């Protein structure tokens, strides 16, 4: 048995220049190292250089974080507005119920006054004089 047959069946060749580095969530390290990816002669500060690319990515990350913050605020405002609308509907129902009860009470009082007036008119003149 030879020593190569007991080793790992697949030899993995690690090539660090081909590995993709992710951006740190805190933004402390760039997503890619310019030293290992872009040759020295192509690294420049022009419109297509790595500096411009890095600035463009940073702008994209900032814009995305601003968008997410605005979406969060919009969602919170929408939830608060829905709560206010529900409270307003409840107040409206309570007010309508109160107005109905007051109208019913006034109708009963008016009915009692009308019955009392009819009763007075139906009394005889003699009973009116004796009461006076």
């Amino acid at each position: 048995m030879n020593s190569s047959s007991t080793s790992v069946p697949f030899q993995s060749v690690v090539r660090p220049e081909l590995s993709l580095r992710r951006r740190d969530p805190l933004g402390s390290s760039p997503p890619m190292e310019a030293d290992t990816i872009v040759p020295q002669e192509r690294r420049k500060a022009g419109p297509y250089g790595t500096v411009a690319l890095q600035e463009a990515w940073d702008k994209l990350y900032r814009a995305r974080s601003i968008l997410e913050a605005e979406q969060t605020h919009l969602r919170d405002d929408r939830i608060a507005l829905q709560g206010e609308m529900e409270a307003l509907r409840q107040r409206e129902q309570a007010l309508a119920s109160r107005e109905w009860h007051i109208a019913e009470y006034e109708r009963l009082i008016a009915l009692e006054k009308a019955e009392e007036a009819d009763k007075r008119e139906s009394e005889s003149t003699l009973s009116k004089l004796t009461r006076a």
Side-chain angles (χ1 to χ4, degrees):
M1 197 170 202
N2 99 27
S3 64
S4 65
S5 66
T6 59
S7 65
V8 180
F10 297 106
Q11 296 292 331
S12 62
V13 178
V14 178
R15 294 181 60 187
E17 70 272 4
L18 296 179
S19 66
L20 179 64
R21 294 189 178 102
R22 301 278 180 196
R23 178 175 266 279
D24 185 19
L26 300 175
S28 61
S29 65
M32 298 179 283
E33 296 293 329
D35 293 339
T36 60
I37 296 175
V38 180
Q40 180 69 30
E41 61 272 4
R42 291 190 51 207
R43 271 186 261 143
K44 57 183 179 179
Y48 302 108
T50 56
V51 174
L53 180 64
Q54 183 63 44
E55 289 175 358
W57 276 108
D58 289 341
K59 285 181 184 179
L60 177 67
Y61 292 137
R62 279 194 303 268
R64 182 65 188 170
S65 67
I66 290 170
L67 175 66
E68 288 172 356
E70 287 298 321
Q71 286 174 335
T72 301
H73 290 306
L74 183 63
R75 185 195 69 226
D76 293 345
D77 288 347
R78 190 179 322 124
I79 290 169
L81 186 60
Q82 286 173 350
E84 291 294 322
M85 292 296 288
E86 183 60 31
L88 188 61
R89 273 190 228 102
Q90 289 176 354
R91 285 181 63 194
E92 186 178 12
Q93 288 175 353
L95 181 63
S97 173
R98 185 174 173 198
E99 286 177 348
W100 181 82
H101 286 294
I102 290 172
E104 192 66 23
Y105 179 72
E106 288 174 347
R107 187 184 64 78
L108 288 174
I109 289 176
L111 187 61
E112 287 175 3
K113 283 184 180 180
E115 286 177 357
E116 190 176 305
D118 287 344
K119 193 176 185 182
R120 283 185 189 167
E121 288 178 9
S122 66
E123 290 180 353
S124 66
T125 309
L126 185 61
S127 64
K128 287 180 186 176
L129 286 173
T130 55
R131 188 173 1 121

